[in-house]
Each structure stands twice: as structure tokens, then as C-alpha cells.
């Protein structure tokens, strides 16, 4: 658990006062008093006024209406304008952390080193998706390179995070991909867990300093597993 993740949380907890140029109906404030609509130079905006109300463990947040989601996209697009102007390949490249495997290391050796290191770090292996096998079996594609995705979970951190933000379950578990490229070089990749946004948003999200440190720790663990796989260290 990736730059996308921290970006989403930072937005969710610290709503930016930006809006699209296209006219849109004024947003309606939800019933909660800690959110309200305020006039801004960019038009009426839904802005967080203070800390959210007390919550219970595993308490879901309110359901968003289609209108709120539409307004959120209109606010976010100016922030994403530079990315939108990029080639799609470069956009995706910004969200990936990747390492090239050491020459001479076989694909299975990369995976074996990853698994051994994950076990040493108490990261539970919770599943795999052998995509290239399905390319062959389902699509009859025998020319595609080998692509496999492995899922890991820090059980204690996962539980504590879901107590605070149940919706975070959509980002679980953490995943590391191993794949060959067009030249048969082997790469190890994961979604970029840039926790800077989480640290900035942590107070409003109800995250304790200990939980924020845990995010830094899980990022380090996942990178450690990647490096072990790419180097064949184990």
C-alpha cells in the first residue's frame, strides 16, 4: 500500500481550493457541520472547516452522491493538468517504482528471493496472479513475456488502518509485480507508496504518529523485498 494512495488521502483530508473553468452548479454541503460550502475566487467550494466528528473503529464514511463525485473531478483536474498533458506511458511511469534485475538472475530466482525476504520481514504472502499463464491458456498468446503479480500484507498495520479508514480496503493488499520486457530483461515493480501526503494529512485523518511511522515502515519493507528479488540476494 503507493503515490496514488497518498495523493488521494491528501486530497480527501485537505480539500484544495481549485476548480475547473467550466461552470457547474454550486455544491451542496453534507449534513456534517465540519464540511461547508464557501465562496472562493474559483467559485463555491466544499471545504473542510475543522476536524471530523468522532468515529468508531471500522466506521464507514458517508456515501458520496454522483454530483459530489463530479464536482470532485472538476476540482482535481486543474491539479492534474500537467499529468494530463503527458503521454500515457510517462503518466504511468510516474506512479511506478521499479528495479531491473541483476543480469544472470533467473525469473524464478527473483521470486524465491522476494518470498524469503518477505518472510524475514513478517510480510504475509497472500496470493499471486500468474498473468502470462492466462495469456496462454485463455487467449492462446504464447508470445507474451512472463508477467506475475505477488500480494503481501502486514496484518497488524492493515487492521489498524481499517479501524480508522475502512475504505482503505480497496488498496489492499500490497502488490509487487515481476515481469519480462520486450528484450527479456526482468523487472520488479510496485505502485509508489509515497507517504508524504499521508504524513501531511495524518492529523485530519485521525492517524497517530505511530501509524504514520508504520506507513514508512511498510514502504521500506516492500522496497527491501524488491531489492532482494532484483539482486537475487537470498
Amino acid at each position: 500500500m503507493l503515490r496514488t494512495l497518498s495523493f488521494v488521502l491528501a486530497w480527501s483530508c485537505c480539500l484544495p481550493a481549485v476548480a475547473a473553468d467550466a461552470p457547474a452548479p454550486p455544491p451542496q454541503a453534507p449534513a456534517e457541520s465540519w464540511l461547508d460550502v464557501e465562496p472562493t475566487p474559483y467559485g463555491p467550494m466544499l471545504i473542510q472547516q475543522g476536524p471530523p466528528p468522532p468515529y468508531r473503529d471500522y466506521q464507514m464514511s458517508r456515501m458520496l452522491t454522483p454530483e459530489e463525485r463530479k464536482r470532485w473531478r472538476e476540482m482535481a483536474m486543474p491539479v492534474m493538468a500537467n499529468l494530463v498533458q503527458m503521454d500515457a506511458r510517462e503518466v504511468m511511469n510516474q506512479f511506478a517504482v521499479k528495479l531491473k534485475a541483476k543480469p544472470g538472475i533467473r525469473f524464478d530466482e527473483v521470486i524465491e528471493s522476494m518470498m524469503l525476504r518477505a518472510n524475514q520481514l513478517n510480510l504475509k504472502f497472500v496470493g499471486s496472479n500468474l498473468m502470462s499463464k492466462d495469456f496462454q491458456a485463455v487467449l492462446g498468446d504464447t508470445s507474451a513475456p512472463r508477467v506475475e503479480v505477488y500480494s503481501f500484507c502486514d496484518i497488524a498495520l492493515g487492521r489498524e488502518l481499517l479501524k480508522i479508514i475502512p475504505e482503505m480496503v480497496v488498496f489492499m493488499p500490497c502488490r509487487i509485480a515481476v515481469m519480462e520486457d520486450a528484450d527479456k530483461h526482468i523487472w520488479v515493480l510496485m505502485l509508489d507508496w509515497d507517504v508524504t501526503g499521508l504524513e501531511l494529512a495524518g492529523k485530519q485523518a485521525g492517524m497517530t504518529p505511530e501509524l504514520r511511522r508504520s506507513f514508512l515502515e511498510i514502504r521500506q519493507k516492500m522496497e527491501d523485498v524488491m531489492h532482494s528479488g532484483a539482486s537475487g540476494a537470498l
Side-chain angles (χ1 to χ4, degrees):
M1 286 162 187
L2 329 150
R3 182 176 302 173
T4 299
L5 175 59
S6 58
F7 206 29
V8 169
L9 274 181
W11 277 347
S12 300
C13 303
C14 312
L15 225 55
V18 294
D21 293 333
Q28 298 298 312
E32 292 89 335
S33 59
W34 56 282
L35 292 171
D36 200 4
V37 176
E38 288 190 357
T40 77
Y42 307 95
M45 301 293 295
L46 185 64
I47 295 178
Q48 183 166 323
Q49 304 297 310
Y55 58 85
R56 293 168 289 120
D57 287 351
Y58 304 107
Q59 179 178 323
M60 286 282 181
S61 299
R62 63 190 176 85
M63 290 185 65
L64 300 176
T65 67
E67 291 75 19
E68 285 181 285
R69 292 185 182 278
K70 179 176 182 294
R71 186 61 174 173
W72 178 259
R73 290 193 294 270
E74 290 171 345
M75 289 190 297
M77 284 310 296
V79 179
M80 298 293 289
N82 289 333
L83 281 179
V84 172
Q85 294 172 16
M86 290 183 184
D87 177 82
R89 290 172 59 92
E90 183 58 27
V91 171
M92 289 300 101
N93 198 29
Q94 296 292 327
F95 291 104
V97 177
K98 57 188 178 184
L99 299 172
K100 191 175 183 179
K102 186 177 176 181
I105 298 177
R106 293 183 294 108
F107 200 102
D108 289 333
E109 291 174 333
V110 171
I111 297 168
E112 183 178 0
S113 279
M114 283 174 43
M115 293 297 185
L116 289 172
R117 188 57 181 151
N119 186 59
Q120 291 176 346
L121 296 172
N122 293 320
L123 282 175
K124 184 179 180 181
F125 170 62
V126 294
S128 62
N129 182 1
L130 311 183
M131 296 180 66
S132 49
K133 287 191 174 182
D134 285 334
F135 294 164
Q136 297 176 22
V138 179
L139 304 176
D141 183 356
T142 59
S143 62
R146 189 171 173 182
V147 183
E148 300 182 1
V149 182
Y150 293 87
S151 299
F152 301 91
C153 186
D154 185 311
I155 301 301
L157 174 59
R159 181 192 63 176
E160 295 306 309
L161 181 57
L162 291 178
K163 284 182 179 180
I164 297 173
I165 311 174
E167 293 83 358
M168 286 294 296
V169 72
V170 302
F171 292 102
M172 299 178 182
C174 303
R175 294 176 297 276
I176 296 177
V178 183
M179 71 175 295
E180 295 173 328
D181 65 13
D183 298 312
K184 297 299 182 181
H185 297 141
I186 301 172
W187 294 83
V188 184
L189 309 90
M190 74 172 181
L191 192 62
D192 188 0
W193 276 72
D194 184 349
V195 298
T196 304
L198 286 174
E199 291 194 295
L200 293 173
K203 183 177 180 181
Q204 291 183 348
M207 293 185 187
T208 63
E210 292 76 18
L211 190 54
R212 294 201 299 277
R213 283 196 295 271
S214 294
F215 269 106
L216 292 169
E217 182 180 346
I218 190 67
R219 163 68 186 246
Q220 184 57 52
K221 285 182 177 182
M222 293 294 287
E223 281 197 293
D224 199 341
V225 171
M226 289 179 62
H227 279 280
S228 293
S231 66
L234 302 179

